[in-house]
Amino acid sequence: MRVLNICFYITETSSILSHRDEFEKKYQSIYKNIISFFCNQQNSHFSLSISGFLLSWIDREHPEFTQLLSKVINRKQCEILGGGFYNPVFPLLSPPDRTGQIELMNSEVRRSLGKRPRGMTISHSVWDNNLVSCFQSCGMEYALLDSSLIPKERQCYLPLLVTEQGKGINVLAVSREFIPNILIAPREYLRNLFDTINYLTKDDQYNSLTEERVVAIKIDENQFLKLYESKWFSKLFSVAEEFFSDTIKITLPTEFLHRSGLKVPSYIPAGIQSDVAKWAKKPYEETSNTSSQPTIFDFLLTYPQNKALYNRMLYITMLINQSKGDKARKKIAREKLWIAQSGEAYICDPDGIFANNAVRQHAYRNLTEAEKLVREAQKDGFKESVSSYDYNGDGFNEYICAMKQYNACISLNAAQISELDIIHNTGNYADSPRRIKQFDKVDDKYFRGLFIDHLFTVDEFSNYKKGNPTGSGIFSQVLFKQLDFESHRHEVKLSGSGYFSPLKAKVTLIKKYIANSDGFTVQYILKNESPFDIKGVFVVESNYAQTDFSSVKANSYKVVVISNEEKSELDAKDAPRSAKKVSYAQITDTSNDISFVYDLNEPSDITCMPLFFRRPSSFSDALSITGNAFVASICWNVDLEVGKDIEKNITYSIIVPKKKKSKK
């Protein structure tokens, strides 16, 4: 190797949840310094990757930045990188959404800066070879991809040519091990970088074909700020000109690719960059030396909440693609879908901080808004329906209830409501995780949705009221079977069975959902199929997801009950609370002013409690609370003789705020 080409590029770290004040602070502290550096250091060369939503905000609020950046780009000192407007995870998207997100970003760059991007970044380097044709059709000449995805035999510090069905795109490997360190002087950094790559490539097969190599190095905006404030980068470019003018060129990717003729034909298997992939095999645990490269789908299977959001996103994508109505509403619905496709809602960042509840609920809200718009766009008006198909790809049919006030998914797993999206523009109320023993000291053996059923002994129920896992999992861990499904009547009838401990007495539960515009009627028939009389407690449990994100412990739920014809409030914000002989219970999410009402055919006890979840942090060895759920359980004492059954009914209503009438 005679010449090493270095392509630095700066990336941002904004969140889809960032608001105006955060953008303003970021602009004043970072991006003003970036443009100042470009203007003052005209021998510098950097590529710049900014999300579409941040670029749009900067151009609107600080047009002086984009005007100066446009001049810097025109003198070929800087190159703006493209990608998806909302930093999506491309393999999870349908082809129209992939193209749409890239074209939206291209349009924003062209509008604000006068030139379209020729290269792109990929969120978390989540790669699949079938992306090639999409990228090329959107005018992308190259993509930057983390070096951990590149096969060892192709790690040669040369452009890779990746093809798919006759279409191709160049790939430049991004080497994280070469990120500048403020403690290493610029001259020493450049010498070490040249020597290292020269050593790694001295005996490879490409030495006879080219005297040049190339390395792409990513620097996030915070790292750049530290290096800028210490004058490190100013010294770097001066040192490069003075001491390494014949051996090192700090350049832009497009400039190098147009000058270099050699491209190495390659195939890159599907995968994720290594610092994310290490979390993909076990929940919240790092793994290494895996036999195969994990993909984004391995990651989703490891984290069911992220997979559930993906299922919802696919459902909304299908609704939009099938919509034949109002084109304007359909267009806005697709824009809401694209917002919900932000990659940070589906995956963790490289530090191991996982997609948090707030980001996921933000995605759910945008998906619900998209569904609302699709409903409004229908020519014949929205019609309520209950359909059955494999919604989540588990091999079993689920029941999708598209009703006036909500969209719900009923699963055969525990016959629970595994998703509940209120059309009044809110998130998924069934989006609650399970406790994991390693972090929460106890293991939950079932998924925490809504209308999960248990049959406990008296002792087990005593433990349950304290928030402890207990029982043998009757009904909560049972795969139910369909007895009857009448779509036109919005009825789903399911059956499950189990063995009541400690007698191992067989019991069956027939559970019938009747969906209506404002909720459900849920009917239960619990039967003793054993030769023993049994006594226990039948519990119907619902887990409401966190919706107030002012703090990880925030609890927005208020409970009002009618017991013995007296109305009272049950304060269960911080600890378990119970009430007896309840005929009516109303659980209100005060952050969204939405209420869930249980109207019972027979008085029952009710137990409510907050449940906190702890997870590891990349910044500390100590576990920290990362979120919570609010548990509400309807509890009936049961005394079943041999062959006898009992029936219980719950009328479940969803009350959303009424629109205020405008004053004349």
Side-chain angles (χ1 to χ4, degrees), residues 187-366:
R187 185 174 179 180
E188 182 182 356
Y189 170 79
L190 291 175
R191 183 187 298 110
N192 291 342
L193 183 57
F194 182 89
D195 291 345
T196 300
I197 294 178
N198 187 49
Y199 174 77
L200 292 172
T201 60
K202 64 179 181 178
D203 295 324
D204 72 16
Q205 58 184 312
Y206 304 105
N207 276 330
S208 60
L209 302 175
T210 181
E211 294 182 332
E212 297 191 50
R213 302 292 170 132
V214 63
V215 60
I217 300 172
K218 178 173 72 172
I219 303 164
D220 74 38
E221 56 192 15
N222 296 309
Q223 292 168 336
F224 175 85
L225 184 61
K226 292 178 182 178
L227 294 164
Y228 166 79
E229 290 176 339
S230 67
K231 309 292 185 184
W232 194 93
F233 267 125
S234 298
K235 297 173 186 175
L236 178 81
F237 288 99
S238 299
V239 165
E241 287 185 351
E242 184 177 356
F243 298 101
F244 300 94
S245 58
D246 294 332
T247 56
I248 291 179
K249 292 182 180 179
I250 301 177
T251 187
L252 301 177
T254 299
E255 180 183 331
F256 171 76
L257 289 169
H258 287 180
R259 179 167 46 82
S260 172
L262 180 62
K263 311 291 190 303
V264 180
S266 304
Y267 172 78
I268 302 174
I272 324 172
Q273 64 187 59
S274 59
D275 51 357
V276 176
K278 65 185 180 182
W279 300 94
K281 292 295 186 180
K282 294 183 179 180
Y284 309 101
E285 290 186 49
E286 292 186 55
T287 56
S288 58
N289 300 321
T290 56
S291 58
S292 60
Q293 168 78 296
T295 69
I296 181 58
F297 297 101
D298 293 313
F299 190 94
L300 293 182
L301 291 173
T302 301
Y303 300 97
Q305 284 181 280
N306 298 12
K307 175 67 161 57
L309 176 60
Y310 170 62
N311 297 334
R312 173 71 170 158
M313 186 264 285
L314 288 182
Y315 175 76
I316 299 301
T317 301
M318 177 190 69
L319 291 184
I320 293 173
N321 290 341
Q322 292 178 350
S323 176
K324 304 296 183 183
D326 187 331
K327 291 184 178 179
R329 282 190 169 88
K330 181 178 178 180
K331 180 181 178 182
I332 300 172
R334 192 173 291 280
E335 290 172 359
K336 295 292 183 182
L337 170 65
W338 288 349
I339 295 172
Q341 290 172 344
S342 170
E344 62 183 309
Y346 300 86
I347 201 168
C348 69
D349 71 21
D351 290 326
I353 305 301
F354 294 85
N356 62 49
N357 302 336
V359 176
R360 203 167 45 248
Q361 286 293 325
H362 178 265
Y364 274 118
R365 280 195 296 274
N366 279 282

Side-chain angles (χ1 to χ4, degrees), residues 21 91 105 130 192 223 240 355 370 457 503 588-589:
D21 291 344
M105 183 66 182
N130 63 22
N192 291 342
Q223 292 168 336
T457 65
L503 300 174
T588 301
D589 172 16

Side-chain angles (χ1 to χ4, degrees), residues 610-648:
L611 209 61
F612 299 104
F613 305 97
R614 291 170 173 81
R615 295 295 181 264
S617 166
S618 63
F619 304 110
S620 171
D621 292 334
L623 297 175
S624 58
I625 294 175
T626 57
N628 66 80
F630 187 75
V631 185
S633 300
I634 307 296
C635 315
W636 283 285
N637 292 319
V638 295
D639 189 349
L640 278 175
E641 296 178 359
V642 176
K644 299 293 184 181
D645 60 48
I646 57 170
E647 183 175 343
K648 305 292 182 183

